[in-house]
Amino acid sequence: MITIVHEAANHRFVAVDAGKIAAEMTYSPLGDDRFIIDHTDVDAAYGGQGVGYQLVDAAVAHARANGMKILPLCPFAASVFKKKGDEYADVRF
């Protein structure tokens, strides 16, 4: 079972499966109310399983809970934001 963990000190969200990092998404803070998603990497063994989407969803949930906005510069995150359209419009800047 994959668990998503926010490692705020390391500016990343990680997907952990049985103690192993299956994927990570890094971000760069911009002040207290914005951040840039700059990189997403999914281990090949977990490709096509939606793990990257789970990381983006976790970042969006974090942004909503904390009144933040996201700039998805990572190509993967940008594509997810484009696909989700209005669903993520409230957190995009």
Side-chain angles (χ1 to χ4, degrees):
M1 178 173 179
I2 293 178
T3 304
I4 305 299
V5 178
H6 179 207
E7 295 181 350
N10 295 323
H11 305 298
R12 71 182 189 161
F13 290 85
V14 293
V16 181
D17 183 23
K20 177 186 176 195
I21 294 179
E24 79 168 344
M25 182 180 66
T26 60
Y27 64 89
S28 298
L30 292 173
D32 294 332
D33 63 347
R34 298 177 291 167
F35 62 95
I36 297 169
I37 297 175
D38 48 33
H39 180 72
T40 305
D41 184 49
V42 178
D43 184 294
Y46 295 89
Q49 298 180 32
V51 179
Y53 282 93
Q54 291 178 48
L55 292 172
V56 175
D57 284 342
V60 168
H62 173 75
R64 286 180 176 146
N66 293 283
M68 302 177 86
K69 298 286 185 181
I70 300 171
L71 178 58
L73 291 184
C74 158
F76 175 77
S79 74
V80 174
F81 267 72
K82 186 176 180 179
K83 287 176 189 170
K84 296 283 187 164
D86 291 342
E87 187 179 337
Y88 285 176
D90 62 318
V91 297
R92 185 175 188 142
F93 82 90

